[in-house]
Amino acid sequence: MNRSLFVAILFVLTCATSVQTASAQVTTSRERILFYTHDWHGERFSDGRPKLPDALLSRALDVTIEDVWDFLREHGYKNQFEGGWQSLHADKPFAGRALTAQYMPSRPDMVAAIKAEGKAEGRVGDTNSWPIKQLEQGDVYVADGFGKIVEGTLIGSNLGSGIAAHTHGGFVFDAGIRDQEENREIAGLNGVYRGYDPSAWAQMTLTAINAPVRIGRAVVLPGDLVLARADGVVFVPAQLAEEAISSAEFTKLKDEFNFEQNAKGSNGGQFEGGWTAAKYQAFRTWVKDHPEKLKMSQEEFQKLLAAAGHD
């Protein structure tokens, strides 16, 4: 092989390696997502994110944030809640799997590199549209926009309609939105955000998709279960999601039974319960008589009763 041909081949290989390396700079690689979510052993999306079952997302809508939060703290997860939001539809909770995005203030050299990468990958539009294209049904778009509202409006109504089309779910933005009124009218869209402003998005750029992000005082990994209510948002690690929801459902059942006992005067002065073995037995009977209230399996219910010390 002559020297000129060798140099040409070496140049092509070097460029190919460079493009391959550059292609992983904004979108987190599958291997990196597997690294952060190593405790999840279930199904995954092609990008590596844990794929929680749709049925679990539906069950999450019926539990309270406090009960999920209690479970997480008991398991050492103390940085999973953030409050202080505005909402498109405060009366409608929503839940889904997190697809995360990180934004930073603009810096010309950084923006140029990111846009060049996007062009090489065939991306269109400004960088705030890129995560939307990667959303799957049942996802929640979770964005760290460093709390910026004025010119921090990550979406208007056109991008809002894109989120709705891709997820039939919603978004959690530590940032602002514009076109608030129009976004409220989009079917299948809900979201919480820091504030509304009519300004257009400016002096910000996307820096990561599906990386770990900070939302206020909460830490979010791609694939986390997101439960958003008017009072706040809780982010549940995927590997704990089913157990957390079952625990919250169990607590809700206990509360509902106890409220009935308080209304009847059966608790005397033990308004918070006084959970004796006899009361747990009455609770078991009450659940048996109201099977429609049980969202978890009977096996899971019996397991939680046993853990409470009254099997």
Side-chain angles (χ1 to χ4, degrees):
M1 181 183 298
N2 65 48
R3 179 176 176 80
S4 297
L5 181 58
F6 175 78
V7 171
I9 293 173
L10 183 61
F11 176 76
V12 170
L13 290 174
T14 301
C15 289
T17 303
S18 177
V19 169
Q20 183 178 11
T21 301
S23 68
Q25 298 308 303
V26 171
T27 300
T28 303
S29 68
R30 177 182 173 87
E31 290 71 26
R32 197 67 177 164
I33 293 174
L34 294 177
F35 169 78
Y36 282 116
T37 62
H38 57 88
D39 286 333
W40 171 257
H41 302 294
E43 187 178 359
R44 292 180 182 269
F45 288 106
S46 59
D47 61 14
R49 285 184 303 134
K51 188 176 182 181
L52 293 166
D54 290 339
L56 187 64
L57 306 184
S58 297
R59 286 170 57 191
L61 297 175
D62 292 326
V63 300
T64 70
I65 283 178
E66 284 82 1
D67 291 340
V68 175
W69 181 84
D70 283 339
F71 173 90
L72 293 176
R73 285 186 65 84
E74 288 171 2
H75 287 75
Y77 288 81
K78 301 181 180 181
N79 302 296
Q80 302 307 127
F81 172 81
E82 177 66 2
W85 302 99
Q86 293 187 30
S87 178
L88 288 181
H89 302 287
D91 60 330
K92 297 177 182 178
F94 61 95
R97 313 170 190 91
L99 184 144
T100 64
Q102 180 190 62
Y103 292 85
M104 290 186 182
S106 294
R107 170 176 159 153
D109 52 355
M110 182 172 69
V111 170
I114 291 169
K115 287 188 174 181
E117 174 183 291
K119 184 177 180 180
E121 293 175 347
R123 296 185 185 271
V124 296
D126 214 336
T127 59
N128 61 330
S129 70
W130 295 1
I132 297 173
K133 184 69 167 60
Q134 294 185 211
L135 291 167
E136 304 272 0
Q137 292 291 320
D139 282 349
V140 173
Y141 176 14
V142 180
D144 171 11
F146 56 94
K148 185 178 180 182
I149 299 173
V150 178
E151 297 187 340
T153 51
L154 293 181
I155 63 166
S157 55
N158 286 298
L159 292 186
S161 68
I163 294 172
H166 276 260
T167 72
H168 292 171
F171 60 87
V172 176
F173 287 171
D174 189 6
I177 69 166
R178 67 194 306 262
D179 298 334
Q180 182 174 246
E181 184 176 351
E182 288 181 302
N183 274 309
R184 285 199 175 105
E185 296 172 355
I186 296 172
L189 180 68
N190 205 347
V192 297
Y193 45 96
R194 292 305 188 190
Y196 157 77
D197 197 80
S199 61
W201 184 65
Q203 291 302 306
M204 295 175 72
T205 190
L206 176 74
T207 52
I209 299 174
N210 277 334
V213 297
R214 180 175 70 86
I215 302 296
R217 58 190 169 109
V219 178
V220 190
L221 293 185
D224 278 358
L225 170 62
V226 182
L227 173 58
R229 292 185 170 276
D231 301 319
V233 184
V234 64
F235 304 96
V236 186
Q239 70 273 12
L240 294 178
E242 183 151 15
E243 191 178 353
I245 296 305
S246 293
S247 174
E249 288 172 341
F250 186 75
T251 301
K252 183 179 179 181
L253 285 170
K254 287 178 61 181
D255 285 347
E256 191 171 346
F257 172 72
N258 196 58
F259 296 162
E260 284 191 12
Q261 301 308 299
N262 282 336
K264 294 176 182 177
S266 302
N267 280 333
Q270 292 277 11
F271 301 116
E272 291 188 309
W275 286 90
T276 63
K279 185 165 183 175
Y280 268 108
Q281 183 56 47
F283 170 58
R284 183 202 299 267
T285 301
W286 179 82
V287 171
K288 183 178 180 180
D289 291 341
H290 298 85
E292 75 282 356
K293 295 182 181 294
L294 194 65
K295 308 299 181 184
M296 70 187 82
S297 67
Q298 272 289 342
E299 181 182 5
E300 184 66 17
F301 177 66
Q302 296 302 329
K303 177 182 174 182
L304 289 168
L305 273 178
H310 296 279
D311 56 352

